[in-house]
Amino acid sequence: MRWALVKVCLAVTVMVVVAFAVPLGLVVKEMARDRAFTDAERQAATIGPSLSITTDRAQLQRAVLTTEPGAADRMAVHIPASDEAGSVAVEIGTRRATRADLETVRESGRASITEVRGGSALLQPTALGSGGIAVVEVFVPEDEVSNGVATAWLMLAGVGIALIVGSVAVADRLGVRMVEPARRLAGAAQDLGEGRLGTRVPEEGPTELRSAATAFNSMADQVIQLLANERELAADLSHRLRTPLTVLRLNAASLGEGPAAEQTRAAVQQLEREVDTIIRTAREQRPQTQGQNGGPGAGCDASEVIRERMDFWSALAEDEGREVRLAGVDRTVRIPVARPELVAALDALLGNVFRHTAEGTAFAVDVHHSGDAVIVLVSDAGGGIADPKAALARGGSGRGGARGAVGSTGLGLDIVRRVAESTGGDVRIGRSVLGGTEVRIWIGLDGQRPQRRGRGHRVGRPRRSGKPRFRSGAGPNL
């Protein structure tokens, strides 16, 4: 493309230079010729007054010698013989034109230019005082006719070459300006196709290539975002497997002794390790996006979802002798969170309680509606979290308790945090009234961050909603 542009510009410039330089060179040559013969006519006219006064040879000789061409022996005066008896023709200077040309000019009475050896001769008819027509001949050498023409042509040629070289240089620079961004764009596309996702293209060059670079960079960012979302989804889906794995592990622990029980417990532990490996492999930071739970109208009834999940976990709580309290779910509470996302967040928190606290540790779930937000409190009577800030960081692990943080991927609290932040809310970790950890989830109802009113606004002591319904077995959907 670069050389094609240079060739096109070269061809166009050469045609323009030829179209202007050739006629201009001919005009220069013609002007030099006109200048030489105009000067010859002026010199021939200077002898006219002398011819009108006298035809004496000696006087005319002196008059001719006073002129520049006469002194250089380039002027001649031809006076014909008169009708008087005994008169003869008078010729002063060197004659170069033929007698036929002289007679033709004398008879026509008009000046004429004739070709002679070494140049041209200007024949100028002049009236004599005694009557008759004399012819003044001025010789113009060839070098005087073309005086300055070669220099002018060389200057024209130099200007034309300079224009051609300049146009080629400009075309080459324009070609580089167009080709280099295109090459960078092609190279970046190849790098992106080979997996180098950090490749970006400088937004330079013509408007069209800048637009293409902007679109490419946006596409690359979108590819990274999609890959991050895929890895995030893989990690989140794998994390949801930990809920039924927790149930299996707790049930396996109650199988007693024996080869079958040991094999079952070993299989559950192996499965937990594999799930943890998947989570750690797929986990990768990605930009947080608002509205990830769906567009306008997407949401669920938080009270219904919480009652359903508590029914599920209450069976395990009964098996482990845990006291469970549930409050604030006796009314419909609509929140802008998709049902599967809320289920995943609740299972992550409740699974942490069972996983990281000793058997028999009580826990509670409270729901409070504050007008512009819904607050969900998940509390337990375990050992608490030593570093809440680190626990909220994706990949962190901080819940203490009888079982510590063994096997924790740190992904559960991050799932909860992203659900809250997608509505403009947040997650806070503190000390619960039960003595352990309290996870407070702020869920905004209008997409704005709810007004924080500190610990003084915390929900009062959970009121009992009746004895939890315990069921034997591992619960539904296992």
Side-chain angles (χ1 to χ4, degrees), residues 71-361:
D73 194 23
R74 292 188 301 173
M75 178 181 284
V77 178
H78 306 284
I79 302 174
S82 62
D83 295 337
E84 297 178 0
S87 64
V88 295
V90 179
E91 289 189 356
I92 301 172
T94 303
R95 177 176 62 82
R96 292 178 175 83
T98 63
R99 293 189 181 276
D101 292 335
L102 295 175
E103 290 299 326
T104 301
V105 171
R106 185 179 291 116
E107 292 175 1
S108 64
R110 294 191 300 271
S112 175
I113 298 175
T114 182
E115 298 291 334
V116 297
R117 178 177 296 181
S120 301
L122 172 67
L123 304 179
Q124 178 69 46
T126 304
L128 298 172
S130 59
I133 299 296
V135 177
V136 179
E137 178 185 348
V138 180
F139 175 66
V140 181
E142 185 64 32
D143 56 351
E144 187 172 340
V145 173
S146 60
N147 184 29
V149 174
T151 303
W153 282 7
L154 288 176
M155 292 182 62
L156 287 175
V159 172
I161 293 174
L163 288 176
I164 293 174
V165 172
S167 66
V168 169
V170 172
D172 182 69
R173 290 300 90 196
L174 290 176
V176 170
R177 186 170 177 266
M178 295 176 61
V179 171
E180 287 303 319
R183 286 179 178 174
R184 286 195 296 267
L185 184 60
Q190 184 176 1
D191 291 342
L192 186 64
E194 293 175 354
R196 291 187 282 274
L197 301 181
T199 301
R200 295 297 183 273
V201 182
E203 297 177 6
E204 301 172 351
T207 303
E208 294 78 6
L209 291 177
R210 287 201 304 269
S211 301
T214 301
F216 176 85
N217 293 337
S218 177
M219 178 193 68
D221 293 338
Q222 187 66 19
V223 168
I224 292 178
Q225 181 68 30
L226 292 174
L227 290 176
N229 290 345
E230 290 296 326
R231 295 188 180 98
E232 189 78 15
L233 180 61
D236 291 350
L237 292 177
S238 300
H239 190 274
R240 295 182 187 183
L241 295 176
R242 296 179 65 89
T243 297
L245 281 176
T246 300
V247 178
L248 289 175
R249 180 170 53 81
L250 296 175
N251 287 342
S254 63
L255 293 179
E257 301 298 332
E262 291 299 329
Q263 290 177 1
T264 302
R265 284 190 286 268
V268 172
Q269 291 177 358
Q270 177 64 27
L271 186 56
E272 283 187 322
R273 286 193 297 269
E274 295 296 334
V275 171
D276 289 347
T277 300
I278 294 174
I279 293 174
R280 293 191 181 93
T281 301
R283 186 170 57 226
E284 181 176 312
Q285 292 287 351
R286 68 176 179 87
Q288 300 296 326
T289 56
Q290 294 294 330
Q292 67 184 16
N293 291 316
C300 64
D301 181 2
S303 297
E304 178 186 357
V305 174
I306 292 173
R307 287 196 302 266
E308 176 186 326
R309 299 319 297 161
M310 289 301 292
D311 284 344
F312 172 79
W313 290 99
S314 62
L316 295 177
E318 181 181 9
D319 291 342
E320 293 192 353
R322 297 176 183 266
E323 181 183 357
V324 181
R325 292 201 296 267
L326 178 63
V329 294
D330 54 350
R331 53 176 289 190
T332 300
V333 180
R334 298 291 303 181
I335 60 173
V337 178
R339 182 186 184 90
E341 300 297 328
L342 181 59
V343 169
L346 290 173
D347 285 344
L349 290 178
L350 296 175
N352 282 342
V353 172
F354 281 86
R355 189 176 301 110
H356 300 299
T357 61
E359 295 184 6
T361 302

Side-chain angles (χ1 to χ4, degrees), residues 34 50 127 388:
D34 291 344
S50 298

